[in-house]
């Protein structure tokens, strides 16, 4: 049994950093596999494209529920046991999703997959806890690189498997991977017993308390929710655009999604920028960049190259803003990182859930152009929140 200690060697911390990055990538991929498969899901279950988009909505809604009710347990229970058991729950939900006979049953399993996949949001605060002093941004940034690669490569992997086997196969494969990952983490992840001795009800009340008392947390959460909403809008609708307007096969969609994975390079870079004290300025730039990418994608949608560039820039902006935001919020109350992460990530996924609902409606009525208008406007909401933080700091009322 490995115990989490501040005296762990730098070499062992580097290895653990990689293991946690891989774990986050494999686990978070589960909530994104459906995005490039919506056309196939709609055909298989005999539902419309708009109805098929509910898979994304339900999965993200489940993730939001898990964030709200399960992630606070990270401040209450031993983390390694919690992580490994949640992964086994994910495996069961994925297996049942793979063999769902009707669309309604598949949606229920999508919710359960989302709920249990919040295991990544227990691992990320652990990474901040493990990081050497002064290197939190870089350490968490590497874990976030794995997480983003999981998000982006999930679409490529799902499309490739659907091209050569069947769209349901990715759920079977991932179920097996979750079991394997549970075993690996059981053997390698350090034990970490939180200092708090309180009840679950008090822990949930603590979530409300940190949300109420930390204005910087509220601002960062709202800003990143707007970024994730834009991200969700793009990747929910792009498969329909690529198939309907450019005649892409699932294999070609996989290649397109792979190009977008270049945005994962943002995480370690953003972490270093945050550690040097430039995170706030770059956060504002990232919000404006995300908005601008939708103008590019809207006016240049006839070119696959332009769409690919827009995808990379959007992913880069979203991931940069995420890492910089986490650098701030994890420093607010180190002893309450799970509760802070609950507020932060629940807000983000509520934004994503609402964006996926809106995207399905807008795409059905206004096509890709309508989605780009929505995607371009949403990050500006976050920019307004960012500006309010700038004004408060200048007035001397806010730490970040």
């Amino acid at each position: 049994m490995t115990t989490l200690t501040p005296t762990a060697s730098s070499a062992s911390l580097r290895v653990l950093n990689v293991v946690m990055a891989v774990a986050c990538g494999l686990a978070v991929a589960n909530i994104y596999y459906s995005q490039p498969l919506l056309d196939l899901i709609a055909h298989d279950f005999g539902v419309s494209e708009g109805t098929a988009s509910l898979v994304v909505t339900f999965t993200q809604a489940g993730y939001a529920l898990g964030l709200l009710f399960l992630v606070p347990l990270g401040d209450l229970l031993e983390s390694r046991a919690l992580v490994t058991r949640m992964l086994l729950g994910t495996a069961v939900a994925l297996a049942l999703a793979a063999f769902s006979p009707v669309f309604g049953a598949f949606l229920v399993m999508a919710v359960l997959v989302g709920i249990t996949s919040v295991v990544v949001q227990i691992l990320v605060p652990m990474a901040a806890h493990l990081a050497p002093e002064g290197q939190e941004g870089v350490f968490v940034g590497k874990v976030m690189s794995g997480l983003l690669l999981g998000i982006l490569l999930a679409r490529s992997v799902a499309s490739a498997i659907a091209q050569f086997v069947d769209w349901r196969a990715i759920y079977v494969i991932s179920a097996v991977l979750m079991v394997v990952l549970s075993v690996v983490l059981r053997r390698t992840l350090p034990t970490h017993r939180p200092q708090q001795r309180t009840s679950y009800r008090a822990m949930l009340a603590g979530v409300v308390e940190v949300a109420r008392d930390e204005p910087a947390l509220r601002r960062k959460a709202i800003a990143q929710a707007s970024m994730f909403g834009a991200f969700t809008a793009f990747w929910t609708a792009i498969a329909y655009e690529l198939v309907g307007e450019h005649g892409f096969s699932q294999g070609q969609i996989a290649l397109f999604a792979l190009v977008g994975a270049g945005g994962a390079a943002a995480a370690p870079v953003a972490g270093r920028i945050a550690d040097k004290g430039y995170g706030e300025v770059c956060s504002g730039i990232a919000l404006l960049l995300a908005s601008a990418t939708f103008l590019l994608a809207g006016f240049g949608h006839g070119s696959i190259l332009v769409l690919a560039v827009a995808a990379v820039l959007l992913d880069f902006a979203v991931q940069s803003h995420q890492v910089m935001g986490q650098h701030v919020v994890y420093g607010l109350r180190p002893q309450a990182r799970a509760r802070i992460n609950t507020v932060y990530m629940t807000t983000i996924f509520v934004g994503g859930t609402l964006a996926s609902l809106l995207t399905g409606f807008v795409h059905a009525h206004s096509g890709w152009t309508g989605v780009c208008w929505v995607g371009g406007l949403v990050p500006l909401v976050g920019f307004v929140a960012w500006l309010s933080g700038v004004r408060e700091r200048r007035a001397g009322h806010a730490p970040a």
Side-chain angles (χ1 to χ4, degrees):
M1 177 183 297
T2 306
T3 302
L4 187 62
T5 68
T7 58
S9 70
S10 59
S12 64
L13 284 176
R14 286 195 296 271
V15 172
L16 185 58
N17 203 193
V18 173
V19 171
M20 295 176 79
V22 172
C24 283
L26 289 175
V28 79
N30 294 315
I31 62 177
Y32 296 96
Y33 286 136
S34 64
Q35 285 184 336
L37 306 177
L38 294 178
D39 188 61
L40 297 177
I41 292 172
H43 181 268
D44 194 1
F45 287 115
V47 298
S48 68
E49 290 182 350
T51 300
S53 297
L54 290 176
V55 176
V56 177
T57 302
F58 275 56
T59 305
Q60 291 184 345
Y63 198 83
L65 289 172
L67 287 165
L68 185 59
F69 294 108
L70 294 185
V71 170
L73 292 174
D75 281 342
L76 190 62
L77 304 178
E78 196 280 307
S79 298
R80 186 176 66 176
L82 181 61
V83 165
T84 54
R85 290 168 185 171
M86 287 175 65
L87 286 169
L88 292 177
T90 308
V92 172
L94 287 165
L96 292 174
F99 298 102
S100 295
V102 295
F103 186 66
F106 186 76
L107 284 180
V108 172
M109 292 305 108
V111 173
L112 294 178
V113 168
I115 289 173
T116 55
S117 292
V118 296
V119 64
V120 300
Q121 299 306 331
I122 296 171
L123 289 170
V124 172
M126 282 188 68
H129 183 82
L130 279 167
E133 185 176 355
Q135 299 180 38
E136 291 88 353
V138 173
F139 205 83
V140 174
K142 288 179 180 178
V143 174
M144 292 300 298
S145 289
L147 188 148
L148 182 62
L149 279 172
I151 293 172
L152 300 179
L153 294 179
R155 297 187 289 263
S156 295
V157 171
S159 293
I161 290 176
Q163 173 81 8
F164 297 106
V165 187
D166 181 77
W167 71 266
R168 294 176 184 261
I170 186 62
Y171 289 91
V172 176
I173 293 170
S174 187
V176 174
L177 286 174
M178 291 305 101
V179 174
V180 173
L181 186 58
S182 178
V183 173
V184 171
L185 289 179
R186 178 68 183 175
R187 292 178 175 274
T188 62
L189 197 65
T191 58
H192 172 48
R193 299 186 184 279
Q195 298 295 324
Q196 290 89 346
R197 291 292 181 268
T198 186
S199 67
Y200 179 66
R201 179 179 296 180
M203 193 64 67
L204 291 180
V207 172
V208 176
E209 182 260 332
V210 296
R212 183 190 63 228
D213 294 345
E214 298 291 349
L217 173 59
R218 295 195 300 271
R219 286 193 300 272
K220 290 298 180 184
I222 291 170
Q224 187 60 26
S226 74
M227 291 288 266
F228 188 64
F231 177 91
T232 299
F234 185 94
W235 287 106
T236 297
I238 192 63
Y240 295 141
E241 176 70 10
L242 294 175
V243 172
E245 298 299 323
H246 297 279
F248 268 36
S249 65
Q250 285 297 316
Q252 290 171 315
I253 292 175
L255 291 175
F256 182 90
L258 190 60
V259 171
V269 175
R272 291 187 179 91
I273 291 173
D275 285 338
K276 291 180 179 179
Y278 301 112
E280 279 305 300
V281 172
C282 291
S283 291
I285 294 172
L287 287 158
L288 294 178
L289 176 60
S291 181
T293 58
F294 278 93
L295 293 177
L296 179 65
F299 287 109
H301 69 95
S303 168
I304 293 299
L305 177 60
V306 171
L307 288 175
V309 170
V312 173
L313 291 176
L314 177 63
D315 290 349
F316 190 92
V318 172
Q319 180 64 4
S320 296
H321 191 272
Q322 171 83 333
V323 173
M324 293 171 188
Q326 286 176 314
H327 186 272
V328 171
V329 300
Y330 288 164
L332 296 174
R333 297 190 188 185
Q335 77 282 6
R337 280 182 174 141
R339 281 165 285 171
I340 283 176
N341 205 44
T342 296
V343 176
Y344 186 66
M345 295 304 302
T346 300
T347 305
I348 290 170
F349 270 84
V350 168
T353 301
L354 294 175
S356 64
L357 273 173
L358 183 60
T359 299
F361 175 80
V362 171
H363 187 269
H365 291 82
S366 303
W368 177 251
T369 300
V371 171
C372 286
W373 277 110
V374 171
L377 290 172
V378 168
L380 298 182
V381 175
F383 188 72
V384 171
W386 178 82
L387 283 176
S388 72
V390 171
R391 287 194 296 268
E392 288 194 25
R393 284 192 301 279
R394 287 178 178 174
H397 299 311

